[in-house]
Amino acid sequence: MSSGPEPGPGIRPGTGTGPPIGPELPFLPGCAIKDPTKTSFHRSQTLDFKNGYAFSRLPREGVGGETLYENQLSQDELDDLCSKGATLTYGQVKRSAPSRFTPAFVAYDKKVLKFDAYFQEEVPISAEEHYRIRQVGIYYYLEDDSMCIIEPKVKNSGLLQGKLMKRHRVPKNEQGDYYHWKDLNLGIDLTIYGRTYRLVNCDSFTKVFLESQGIEVNPPEELVSDPYTEQRRTPVQKLIVPTGPDPFRQFLIYDTKVLRFYAIWDDTNCAFGDHHPCVIHYFLADDTVEVREVHRRNDGRDPFPVLMRRQRLPKIFVDKNKDFPSCVLEITDHEVQEWYSPKDFGIGKTVTLLGRTFLIYDCDKFTQDFYREKYGITDFQPVDVNKKPLEKAPQVIPPYNGFGIPEDSLQNCLSLFPKPPRKDIIKMLENNLKVLRYQVALESPVPEDKNRRFILSYFLSDDTISIYEPPVKNSGITGGKYLKRTKVTKPGSTPEDPIYYEASDFTIGSTIEVFGHRFVIIDADEYVLNYLERNAESFPAATVQSIRDHFLPRKVTVETTSSGIPKKDLDDLIVEVQKELRLQQPFNTRQFHEAFHHFDKEGSGFLDKTTFLNICDRFNVPTSTILLKKLTDYCSCDDNKVNYRDFLLAFPSNLFPEAEGKDQQIILC
């Protein structure tokens, strides 16, 4: 029996069925026909993943993109064709198709053999251990026969752990052979790069795989542990301290718990010493003390943070030999009999820390709760440490020395660099150039001073007074400034509370005492009357009425003259009189004025008509002329008196300038 029909012409053996491709050519170089339509010559992909599983499939296209018709059938159809027997009664029966070829990297993908092993490492530089056992895991990858070694990481081991050998094919010997999974088993020593590993166990997959391949797996061994690691894991036996508190227990209980005391460091015994407010911190965790100074703004001290660093402070020292040096770098426990403890601190107590004495006057809420629970103290009343204000010594003002005004002299007692007294600027601006002038007579027992007349000027801008004495020739007294402009105090006032003369104090007939001299007001300027009447609400009624009564006779004279000349024509009449007098013989008008003042003993400004005419005759004043007669009638009063002051308005001092230097011998009697 034949195995089947021979392949027909045009079909290449081993290629299966397909369309004819023409006459057969030898498959030799130069005899191949290149198809220009073919552009892709890569092999088709036969490996793929489906639902997370790797599988292989038959290629549908060959190299160059040729369609493989034998692979177009489904897998079931191919299986039926392979298993279908021959229908002929003669010839050899067709064999079944061989199983599909699966590459090793597909069949063993993600299949790894895992062995537990350890190796011994020498430790030549440690006195506590001579060798070290390190446990590792050996992984063998079946897909490409590669291996890697990984050591599990142990925290705080101090060793470089993790992947000790990266994944690759490991050489077995110098002949170029590599380790194979057939060389691996339990209970054997595996030497890799000069380091010997002892394989002691494996996982279940590794055991099943080796047994399926006919390898008898040795029984597992116990994994050896590192002796030094086991020694460190053994709990250390704690020493039992028979007496004394446990400092570690104290630290765990009182960590971050601090007693805070508010204290005062009295440093007044030293030069430039003061009371320094401080805060004392007592740390319960280790019985240390820290002192911090509380700084205030502009306290004049450097703002260093700590006055006394944190440290244990000795309270009582042990009696030591006198020969032992007292200056040491550090204090030990053998030199101290007792250290400071919380019981040594409390409100109202005084503690001496490194030579400084502190008075504790208060503490915080946590400190109060601590002392209340541990010592049963309930009284936490703070101590008053505030400085009592110093009693200010009364400032004694020395008596007034008579120089200047009291306010100006007082500035020398109030300041090292005296400043002028403050002035009322508003008053100065409102009353600028406003002056009240009065004629005063000196009240003196000396006969020569009875006829002396003065002009008292009161300046409304600053309430100052100046006195001027008009010079009288041949009087034997030099006139001029009698008192410079200054404030004058009233009699009976004190330097501490001076009372100065005001404008309301000046009335006709009143006495003004100026530095021990008494002056009587006998006359006033017409501006005084006008000013008092305009500001009558600011002055007492008696002052205004006194000035009005003084000027009443003058008003009557002006308003009721026999000539019938109106008051408004007085200036024109004076001008006409002066023109007529310039035609007469010149005379000394100053002496003419002094003559009227001489006969006016009372200073009232009025003379009887007979005396008035006699004075005019002695100076050859033609009173019989029409104009002078009108002026005389204008200044005359009903009681046969003449107001010579209004009359003298027509005789100014510059009326006869050529006669000013000539003195007339006039006998006044």
Side-chain angles (χ1 to χ4, degrees):
M1 295 178 64
S2 62
S3 59
E6 297 293 334
I11 299 176
R12 185 172 298 172
T15 60
T17 61
I21 60 175
E24 187 75 21
L25 292 177
F27 194 68
L28 297 175
C31 297
I33 300 176
K34 184 177 181 181
D35 190 355
T37 60
K38 297 180 179 180
T39 58
S40 179
F41 297 96
H42 63 274
R43 295 181 61 183
S44 300
Q45 181 178 356
T46 59
L47 302 177
D48 200 356
F49 284 89
K50 187 174 184 180
N51 295 330
Y53 295 93
F55 69 95
S56 61
R57 62 185 178 184
L58 296 176
R60 301 298 179 92
E61 295 179 355
V63 177
E66 295 182 357
T67 303
L68 302 178
Y69 294 99
E70 64 274 14
N71 294 337
Q72 297 297 325
L73 299 176
S74 64
Q75 188 66 33
D76 296 338
E77 291 176 349
L78 293 177
D79 293 342
D80 291 343
L81 291 176
C82 293
S83 61
K84 189 175 182 180
T87 57
L88 298 179
T89 58
Y90 59 90
Q92 188 177 1
V93 181
K94 185 178 179 181
R95 298 178 181 178
S96 60
S99 60
R100 291 181 300 167
F101 172 75
T102 303
F105 62 88
V106 175
Y108 299 119
D109 183 31
K110 297 183 180 180
K111 294 181 180 181
V112 183
L113 304 181
K114 195 261 182 180
F115 296 89
D116 295 332
Y118 68 89
F119 68 93
Q120 180 177 326
E121 183 182 23
E122 293 185 358
V123 184
I125 59 175
S126 176
E128 298 181 356
E129 56 178 343
H130 302 286
Y131 65 93
R132 183 181 298 122
I133 300 298
R134 301 178 64 175
Q135 300 175 359
V136 298
I138 300 177
Y139 298 86
Y140 185 92
Y141 298 87
L142 295 173
E143 58 180 339
D144 58 354
D145 298 329
S146 60
M147 298 173 63
C148 75
I149 301 176
I150 298 177
E151 181 181 7
K153 290 185 178 181
V154 179
K155 191 175 182 180
N156 297 328
S157 64
L159 302 175
L160 294 176
Q161 297 175 328
K163 184 175 287 188
L164 300 182
M165 185 183 73
K166 67 179 182 179
R167 178 180 172 181
H168 66 287
R169 295 189 68 186
V170 180
K172 181 179 180 181
N173 48 37
E174 296 181 357
Q175 285 74 25
D177 299 333
Y178 295 94
Y179 276 108
H180 195 262
W181 53 268
K182 297 179 181 180
D183 302 325
L184 305 179
N185 203 337
L186 302 182
I188 64 173
D189 293 334
L190 187 66
T191 303
I192 299 176
Y193 296 120
R195 180 177 289 173
T196 301
Y197 297 89
R198 181 70 178 182
L199 280 61
V200 296
N201 204 349
C202 64
D203 58 1
S204 59
F205 172 78
T206 304
K207 183 176 181 181
V208 171
F209 177 79
L210 293 178
E211 290 178 348
S212 66
Q213 299 300 324
I215 299 176
E216 183 179 357
V217 181
N218 299 329
E221 299 178 358
E222 184 179 358
L223 188 62
V224 180
S225 301
D226 182 30
Y228 180 72
T229 304
E230 295 297 328
Q231 180 184 356
R232 292 188 59 184
R233 290 177 180 175
T234 304
V236 180
Q237 185 177 2
K238 296 183 179 180
L239 298 177
I240 300 176
V241 181
T243 58
D246 185 5
F248 187 67
R249 175 183 175 84
Q250 179 183 357
F251 173 79
L252 294 178
I253 295 176
Y254 296 110
D255 187 27
T256 68
K257 295 182 180 180
V258 183
L259 304 180
R260 176 179 294 179
F261 301 94
Y262 302 100
I264 287 291
W265 171 32
D266 189 359
D267 191 29
T268 54
N269 294 331
C270 300
F272 310 105
D274 198 0
H275 290 85
H276 304 265
C278 301
V279 177
I280 301 176
H281 291 153
Y282 188 93
F283 297 86
L284 296 172
D286 53 358
D287 295 326
T288 55
V289 180
E290 177 191 62
V291 181
R292 290 177 175 267
E293 184 175 0
V294 180
H295 295 278
R296 297 186 179 89
R297 180 178 293 181
N298 298 328
D299 59 359
R301 302 185 184 91
D302 293 333
F304 53 87
V306 179
L307 178 65
M308 221 177 277
R309 66 177 179 86
R310 180 178 175 180
Q311 57 184 311
R312 292 188 69 187
L313 296 178
K315 182 181 178 182
I316 302 176
F317 287 92
V318 177
D319 295 336
K320 51 189 176 181
N321 191 1
K322 296 182 179 179
D323 298 335
F324 189 80
S326 60
C327 181
V328 294
L329 297 178
E330 186 175 334
I331 300 175
T332 61
D333 295 339
H334 301 287
E335 302 175 21
V336 179
Q337 182 177 350
E338 183 181 356
W339 301 87
Y340 272 104
S341 60
K343 64 181 180 181
D344 300 321
F345 296 87
I347 297 178
K349 291 185 178 180
T350 302
V351 293
T352 302
L353 307 178
L354 300 182
R356 295 178 175 88
T357 302
F358 297 87
L359 172 63
I360 301 176
Y361 65 89
D362 199 1
C363 60
D364 61 356
K365 182 66 168 54
F366 171 77
T367 307
Q368 295 178 8
D369 296 340
F370 176 81
Y371 278 88
R372 187 181 294 108
E373 295 176 2
K374 188 163 185 177
Y375 298 103
I377 300 176
T378 57
D379 185 13
F380 298 101
Q381 184 66 27
V383 179
D384 187 12
V385 294
N386 295 327
K387 293 183 179 180
K388 295 182 180 180
L390 299 176
E391 296 182 0
K392 188 175 182 181
Q395 186 177 10
V396 179
I397 304 299
Y400 179 57
N401 55 8
F403 293 95
I405 60 176
E407 288 83 356
D408 194 11
S409 300
L410 183 62
Q411 298 299 321
N412 295 284
C413 305
L414 302 179
S415 176
L416 183 61
F417 299 97
K419 298 180 181 179
R422 297 189 64 178
K423 299 180 181 180
D424 191 350
I425 304 299
I426 303 300
K427 183 177 180 180
M428 293 178 62
L429 294 176
E430 291 178 351
N431 300 308
N432 188 27
L433 302 179
K434 294 181 180 180
V435 184
L436 304 181
R437 294 179 177 85
Y438 302 88
Q439 186 179 20
V440 296
L442 181 62
E443 187 180 275
S444 173
V446 181
E448 289 79 4
D449 294 337
K450 290 185 178 181
N451 296 327
R452 296 178 66 180
R453 300 293 181 265
F454 301 86
I455 304 298
L456 187 148
S457 301
Y458 183 85
F459 297 87
L460 296 171
S461 59
D462 55 357
D463 299 330
T464 56
I465 295 175
S466 68
I467 300 177
Y468 175 79
E469 182 180 10
V472 178
K473 208 158 191 179
N474 298 328
S475 63
I477 299 174
T478 304
K481 184 183 293 185
Y482 185 81
L483 175 69
K484 70 175 184 179
R485 182 175 176 179
T486 182
K487 285 187 176 182
V488 180
T489 58
K490 292 183 179 181
S493 62
T494 60
E496 293 78 11
D497 187 17
I499 302 175
Y500 298 100
Y501 279 106
E502 298 178 353
S504 59
D505 299 324
F506 298 98
T507 59
I508 300 299
S510 63
T511 301
I512 307 299
E513 184 173 343
V514 180
F515 301 114
H517 300 272
R518 299 171 61 87
F519 295 89
V520 180
I521 300 177
I522 59 177
D523 197 3
D525 200 352
E526 238 183 89
Y527 176 77
V528 177
L529 177 62
N530 298 334
Y531 180 81
L532 295 181
E533 289 180 345
R534 286 196 306 268
N535 303 276
E537 67 279 356
S538 303
F539 295 93
T543 303
V544 180
Q545 189 62 33
S546 173
I547 303 300
R548 285 176 180 172
D549 295 344
H550 179 69
F551 280 92
L552 182 60
R554 302 186 190 182
K555 290 186 177 181
V556 172
T557 303
V558 172
E559 293 175 358
T560 58
T561 55
S562 58
S563 60
I565 299 176
K567 181 180 179 181
K568 63 181 180 178
D569 295 336
L570 177 61
D571 295 338
D572 298 336
L573 179 60
I574 291 175
V575 172
E576 296 295 332
V577 170
Q578 290 177 354
K579 289 181 180 179
E580 183 178 353
L581 290 175
R582 288 191 179 94
L583 301 176
Q584 303 296 331
Q585 183 179 359
F587 61 93
N588 194 329
T589 56
R590 182 174 58 82
Q591 292 184 358
F592 188 58
H593 283 248
E594 292 176 356
F596 282 102
H597 288 292
H598 175 75
F599 285 98
D600 187 11
K601 304 296 183 180
E602 299 178 356
S604 60
F606 294 90
L607 292 175
D608 58 278
K609 200 165 187 179
T610 304
T611 305
F612 174 79
L613 295 176
N614 291 334
I615 296 174
C616 292
D617 292 341
R618 290 171 183 173
F619 283 89
N620 298 323
V621 177
T623 57
S624 58
T625 59
I626 299 176
L627 293 178
L628 286 176
K629 184 174 179 53
K630 288 183 179 181
L631 181 60
T632 304
D633 295 341
Y634 181 83
C635 298
S636 299
C637 299
D638 293 340
D639 53 354
N640 199 19
K641 288 188 177 182
V642 179
N643 186 350
Y644 68 87
R645 292 182 179 177
D646 291 342
F647 182 80
L648 292 178
L649 294 177
F651 297 88
S653 59
N654 58 353
L655 181 62
F656 301 107
E658 63 277 6
E660 288 296 322
K662 300 178 181 179
D663 293 338
Q664 291 178 297
Q665 298 296 331
I666 303 298
I667 301 176
L668 300 178
C669 58

